[in-house]
Every structure is written in C-alpha cells, then in structure tokens.
Amino acid sequence: MGNIKLDNHFPYLYLSCGRAVREKVGNANTFQVRFTCYEKLSHIILNTHKPSSSRSGFDDLPPSPPSLPIIGHLHLLLSAPTHKALQKLSSKYGPLFHLRIFNIPMVIVSSASVAYEIFRAHDANISSRGPPPIDDSLFAGSTSFISSPYGDHWKFMKKVLVTKLLGPQALERSRDVRADELERVYARLLDKARKEESVEIIKEVVNLTNNSICRMIMGKSCSEENGEAERARSVASESLALGKKIVLGSLLRARFKHLVMLLIKKEMTVVSNKFDELFERILVEHETKQDGHQETDLMEALLAAYGDDKAGYKITRKHIKTLFADLLFAGTDSSAQAAQWAMAEIIKNPNVLKRLREEIDCLVGQGTRLIHETDLPNLPYLQAVVKEVLRLHPPGTVFGRISQKGFRMGEYYIPEETSFAINVYAIMRDPDLWEDPDEFKPERFLQDSSRTAEEEEAERREPLKYIPFGSGRRGCPGSNLAYVFLGTAVGMMVQGFDWRIEGGDKVSMEETVLGLSLTMAHPPKFIPVARTARPLISKCS
Ligand code: HEM
C-alpha cells in the first residue's frame, strides 16, 4: 500500500494492475490516490492528455476500473457479451462509471434513475450517435438517418418517417399490407405442418417483417413475385453481419479505426452497392409512374422533397436510399429475434400458452378467422407477454449516444464528445426495480384494477425502468410497428398451431450476441401442428 498526492496537472490516472481509490482532500484541486499495487509501481500509467478548455478537468469523471496501457478497458469487454460484462462492472463501480477504450472515454449508464436524469435534463445534448464510421458508404455512412447528428437532416427525416410510415395514422393506412404478409407466413406454417417439417421461428417471422417493411416503404414494386423483397432480405442480413464490425471500428480512433475500416471497407462497398442498385431501380420505377397526384406514402413524400428546389430542407437521392437501408437494418431482424424468444418462452411455459390461447380464442374465436392487428388492444395478456419478452430479451442490449457539450451530473463532470452506453439489459433486470428479474412473468405488466390513485401516480413518476426502445427524441421511431409485428406474429402462432420441440423436450435459453442483436445461442426447431382442420381466414380491415 502506498500514497501519492497529485493535483490537476495530472488529470488522468490509470493504474494498470492495481486498485485505485481516489479521494478529494483539502482544496478542490487536490486528490489523494490510495493504490494497492499487485505488481510493480512501473505499471502505473499517467496519461497526461491536456483537457480541452470546455472541460472542468477529468478529476470528477465517474468512477472507473483499473485499465491497461494503450487499450484502456477494452479487455474488460471482450470476455463476455458486452451487456453482461458491463452489468458485472456496474455491480462493482455503480450505475454511472466510465471506461476508456483506447483513448476514447465512454460513460456507462446501468440504472433507471441515472438514465432518467440524463434523458430528463440532457436529452438534446446527447441526441447524436457520433460520427459515421465510413463517410461515403450508403450503408452506415454520412447520409444515414441513424448516424446523422441531431440537426436539420435528422429532424426533416424524422418528421417524414412519423407522418408517412411509422406514426399511428400512417400505420393504419398500411394495415392491409401487414395482414396480407401475416397470412402468407400462416400459410407457409400450415404447409410445414402438413409435411410435419420443423421450422426456425426467426426465419419465418423475418419474412413478415422484411416483406412488410419493403412494401410499406416501396409500395407495389417490392413484391415476392419480382424478387425485390428477397433481394432486400438478403442485403439486409449482410448488413446486419457487418454491424458488429462497424460498431467496433467506430469505437476506435485514428490509426486503429482506419485499420479496421480498411479491413471491412470491401465488404461495406459490396453491401452499399447492392442497396444502391436495388433502391435506384425502385426510385426510377416510381419516378416514371408519378402522375402528379398529392403524395401520400413515404416514397412519394421523399421524391417530392428531392424534386423541390424550394424545399426547406434539400435532400439528395442518396439520403432517400440510405433511409431505406436504415429501416431494413433497424426494423427487420430486431422484431424477428424477439418473436423467436417469445415462442421459446411460451412453449417452455405451458401455463402462459394456456392463458394466452384462452384469451385469443375467446376474443377472436376458434377455428374461423385469423388474428388481426385491430384485435391487439383487446388482448391484454398477449400485450403483457410481448412486453415481458422485450424486458427479458431486449434485441438491442446496449445503445449508444455521444455528448455534444460537457455537462455536470451530480458530483461528476461528463466532458464533451464522451460516448455513452446505456445498458438496457442491466436496467431491465435490476433487482431493485423488478421482482424476480430473471423470471418470465408476463403478469407483471397486467394493470392491477385494485391499484390506488397514489400507486398509479407513483408508477408514472418511476424512472425509466422499461426501455427496450431507448428514450428521448432519438428513441426508436419503430416501436409501434414492432409491437404490431410481435403481437400479430405471436398471436397467429399461438392461435393457429400446437408446437412440438424437435429432438427432445428442452429449449435452451442460452444467449449470444450476433451482429448487434441478442439472439438465442441454440435456436430451437419447432414442428407446427395445425389446430384446425380448415385454414383460418384473414379478416379484411
Ligand atoms: C423489437 C423491435 C425493436 C427494438 C427492440 C428496437 C430498439 C431500438 C433502440 C434501442 C434504438 C435506439 C434508441 C435510442 O437511441 O434511444 C432504436 C433506434 C431506431 N429504430 Fe428501432 N427497434 C425495434 C424495431 C424497429 C422497427 C420495426 C423500425 C422501423 C422499421 C425501427 C427503426 C429504428 C430507427 C430508424 C432507429 C434510429 C432512430 C434515430 O436515430 O433517431 N426499429 N431501435
């Protein structure tokens, strides 16, 4: 055990192989660092980066584990899935701690109350995600909506997205498309049932999400028949595989970042070109068909803005194509992953299956028509099951933001351009907020009619403990659509089929992270058995 004294001239102290406890002593600029050195003193690294003028210094950054030379804390994130590694660290360093990945500071948020404080008081300041990893790429490049900084481009696209595609009224207009795609998935499952073949749930539900999103954004030009939907699905899955490498690359700086990006540049170009070719063909098709009527769907609204020289915000062709790539990337796999987890939980829990089926049979009827999305508001238990699946198995376990200006958070100072990682997984399994946090209990989301007004008010004031879709202005704009996909897909599979587990009676719930999504390490195969002799009929809305 030894003692050293330092002041603000040494703002960064990293102990590579020891344990440091920093305490303020005397005046505000003097700290005493107590360290327990497991090896030699030479392992102490002093990083003397000069703080930028807007910073008050690094001394009051949130706490941090000991780090290694050069790579900082990178090694701590490599051993387990990132969300679990961060969850473990938070149990030791608290709900707000910081890491250094190479020389990039990153603040980790692991509690609902800290998340609430940040989104309540600093939302605009943390409403960017950092610079895009590759500038000229159509996928994850500078024209992307997802990586665009909080500013005019993002605001314009968000407004169009909500009014023309993802807001409640836009979703109402595209109901028939989704009912049609749901019926197709149902028909495919019936066929499998007849042949007694097994299915992987995710592969079936991806057809629903991909085809629906394609048709919602591109209209009729995206159909099964001309192969556009299939092409979009295959490029979207290539883009997902690239996702993790891009995230890793974008965490690095300068030389390392260039190296990683150089290695994946070819893959990025291939994916980018495929998206470009697909969307350019569809744009041209739309342009030649335009008949001057008022624009109603997303494609028409974007083309109108592109062609209007006097538009308040001028968009390019590339902006339109990258938005489509973003939507397929963000919306296709996430809901399908969640549907797979949902069916695994339901088949594993016969009581849940029984209650769910009773609710659906009672409202929708048995053996006549197929569930429709207009049924969902009247199926509270189905909604509770979907919410519980997203709590326990959120497809995005950690989401990232970046601070534009430095700001104070209680006793800590968060410098400008600090990356944030909000650990959704840890927050939604916090034992202080959730009873039996690791158990699948949909009942927790059922409204208790005996609750007092005070209890309801207390719940409203509760900090952000349920955040599968993020929060604030950059929160997921597709959450309504995701609830519809999940409710109808799970509802249809429960209503229409009994399920046998292929190769035994056990479903492994082991997790892994593939691309950017939390996925099942051993995706189960289920054999559907039709519940009714005659196929259920889809209801026309
Ligand atoms: C279960 C399904 C889904 C989950 C769990 C999910 C989750 C998320 C999360 C956590 C974020 C980051 C939020 C934040 O930074 O606060 C996000 C962003 C986004 N999601 Fe989703 N999402 C899902 C489905 C969808 C769907 C269906 C679409 C659209 C088709 C979509 C489109 C987007 C877009 C465009 C963004 C970026 C928003 C922005 O940067 O402003 N998502 N999603």
Side-chain angles (χ1 to χ4, degrees):
M1 182 79 155
N3 286 314
I4 56 171
K5 277 198 173 177
L6 62 155
D7 58 25
N8 265 359
H9 294 116
F10 298 102
Y12 248 106
L13 176 82
Y14 291 114
L15 294 176
S16 64
C17 295
R19 187 175 151 67
V21 179
R22 190 177 50 193
E23 291 166 352
K24 282 192 179 182
V25 288
N27 70 50
N29 287 339
T30 313
F31 294 86
Q32 188 177 70
V33 176
R34 282 186 289 113
F35 62 90
T36 315
C37 198
Y38 305 136
E39 291 181 28
K40 291 186 185 129
L41 198 64
S42 59
H43 283 245
I44 293 178
I45 316 277
L46 290 174
N47 185 337
T48 56
H49 279 198
K50 223 176 169 242
S52 79
S53 55
S54 62
R55 291 173 178 176
S56 74
F58 294 98
D59 307 295
D60 37 10
L61 270 171
S64 180
S67 68
L68 290 177
I70 303 173
I71 64 167
H73 298 102
L74 184 65
H75 60 295
L76 298 177
L77 304 182
L78 299 178
S79 53
T82 312
H83 58 282
K84 285 212 168 153
L86 295 176
Q87 187 186 31
K88 202 165 154 205
L89 286 170
S90 75
S91 63
K92 195 163 173 194
Y93 296 95
L96 188 69
F97 63 95
H98 93 268
L99 299 177
R100 183 177 58 92
I101 311 298
F102 292 92
N103 60 342
I104 301 194
M106 179 181 276
V107 168
I108 318 298
V109 175
S110 315
S111 88
S113 50
V114 174
Y116 178 73
E117 187 50 34
I118 290 182
F119 284 109
R120 189 188 59 79
H122 308 284
D123 187 40
N125 189 23
I126 58 153
S127 277
S128 292
R129 300 190 194 282
I134 290 191
D135 267 1
D136 59 346
S137 171
L138 192 140
F139 172 65
S142 60
T143 46
S144 147
F145 171 73
I146 297 178
S147 50
S148 95
Y150 177 56
D152 289 345
H153 170 229
W154 179 83
K155 284 181 194 163
F156 174 83
M157 288 299 196
K158 171 84 183 233
K159 192 169 163 207
V160 179
L161 260 189
V162 172
T163 52
K164 302 293 178 191
L165 191 81
L166 299 172
Q169 285 163 357
L171 285 180
E172 226 176 287
R173 288 195 295 271
S174 53
R175 254 179 199 155
D176 287 353
V177 164
R178 291 183 298 278
D180 188 38
E181 290 300 334
L182 186 75
E183 203 183 355
R184 282 164 183 261
V185 178
Y186 171 64
R188 261 194 301 269
L189 288 175
L190 268 185
D191 186 49
K192 295 276 183 187
R194 258 192 297 274
K195 295 176 185 159
E196 296 189 24
E197 281 175 10
S198 65
V199 295
E200 241 183 78
I201 299 292
I202 188 163
K203 293 193 178 149
E204 303 305 319
V205 180
V206 153
N207 286 311
L208 169 71
T209 55
N210 176 77
N211 294 7
S212 300
I213 295 174
C214 275
R215 287 177 62 186
M216 284 164 65
I217 57 182
M218 300 171 205
K220 289 199 186 67
S221 13
C222 185
S223 66
E224 286 278 295
E225 289 73 40
N226 64 17
E228 301 291 30
E230 179 50 42
R231 263 192 290 279
R233 184 164 51 237
S234 110
V235 191
S237 67
E238 282 179 52
S239 72
L240 280 166
L242 261 177
K244 198 169 186 181
K245 297 177 199 167
I246 292 172
V247 169
L248 177 69
S250 56
L251 278 179
L252 312 178
R253 215 166 247 180
R255 229 175 307 156
F256 296 108
K257 177 174 173 173
H258 282 128
L259 189 67
V260 173
M261 290 306 167
L262 216 67
L263 291 172
I264 60 172
K265 172 93 183 170
K266 200 166 158 226
E267 249 178 288
M268 298 261 315
T269 311
V270 171
V271 170
S272 178
N273 289 347
K274 284 184 185 170
F275 269 134
D276 195 40
E277 194 192 311
L278 175 70
F279 296 140
E280 180 59 31
R281 198 168 45 241
I282 289 162
L283 280 182
V284 170
E285 206 172 297
H286 261 74
E287 283 167 325
T288 47
K289 275 193 205 146
Q290 260 183 342
D291 52 9
H293 73 279
Q294 232 201 333
E295 88 267 358
T296 49
D297 67 19
L298 180 74
M299 179 76 90
E300 287 164 352
L302 291 171
L303 280 173
Y306 166 66
D308 181 1
D309 289 333
K310 294 191 197 89
Y313 184 78
K314 187 84 192 108
I315 58 166
T316 63
R317 246 179 144 68
K318 204 168 172 185
H319 282 128
I320 304 180
K321 293 184 224 169
T322 44
L323 180 69
F324 295 164
D326 281 354
L327 290 168
L328 285 172
F329 174 74
T332 301
D333 190 63
S334 45
S335 311
Q337 292 289 356
Q340 170 155 279
W341 282 108
M343 289 311 288
E345 288 287 6
I346 291 166
I347 290 165
K348 225 176 104 232
N349 291 282
N351 291 340
V352 174
L353 175 62
K354 185 167 173 283
R355 185 166 175 183
L356 203 47
R357 192 167 270 165
E358 276 168 8
E359 184 185 74
I360 296 171
D361 284 350
C362 182
L363 181 91
V364 185
Q366 209 184 344
T368 47
R369 76 167 173 86
L370 197 61
I371 188 172
H372 188 263
E373 61 187 61
T374 50
D375 295 317
L376 298 179
N378 301 316
L379 295 166
Y381 192 64
L382 175 58
Q383 289 181 49
V385 166
V386 166
K387 285 190 94 175
E388 179 67 341
V389 165
L390 291 173
R391 182 193 70 81
L392 208 52
H393 311 289
T397 50
V398 177
F399 66 87
R401 300 288 189 84
I402 194 163
S403 64
Q404 301 202 297
K405 291 182 272 175
F407 64 95
R408 283 221 152 263
M409 273 274 309
E411 60 187 302
Y412 302 121
Y413 183 76
I414 314 291
E416 67 185 327
E417 285 182 33
T418 298
S419 298
F420 274 83
I422 291 100
N423 193 348
V424 172
Y425 184 92
I427 292 174
M428 295 200 297
R429 287 188 184 223
D430 183 344
D432 291 337
L433 295 172
W434 301 94
E435 207 182 300
D436 302 326
D438 297 330
E439 312 244 316
F440 183 72
K441 287 185 166 178
E443 290 72 20
R444 69 175 93 236
F445 286 108
L446 288 177
Q447 292 285 335
D448 179 358
S449 54
S450 63
R451 278 187 321 168
T452 62
E454 287 78 32
E455 280 170 332
E456 277 178 22
E457 179 53 29
E459 183 143 306
R460 265 197 293 279
R461 274 188 277 111
E462 239 172 27
L464 291 175
K465 68 175 198 176
Y466 186 74
I467 50 167
F469 296 103
S471 185
R473 55 201 88 192
R474 274 327 264 263
C476 177
S479 59
N480 288 334
L481 178 60
Y483 278 126
V484 166
F485 279 150
L486 281 167
T488 51
V490 171
M492 174 271 286
M493 290 187 277
V494 167
Q495 183 196 18
F497 303 93
D498 284 315
W499 296 89
R500 290 206 324 262
I501 306 167
E502 189 184 66
D505 56 0
K506 278 239 155 59
V507 180
S508 160
M509 301 303 273
E510 198 186 318
E511 301 170 343
T512 186
V513 177
L514 211 65
L516 293 176
S517 294
L518 180 68
T519 66
M520 301 188 79
H522 311 286
K525 290 204 166 180
F526 297 124
I527 302 165
V529 181
R531 281 181 75 214
T532 53
R534 278 201 286 165
L536 303 170
I537 310 293
S538 181
K539 168 194 161 190
C540 290
S541 54

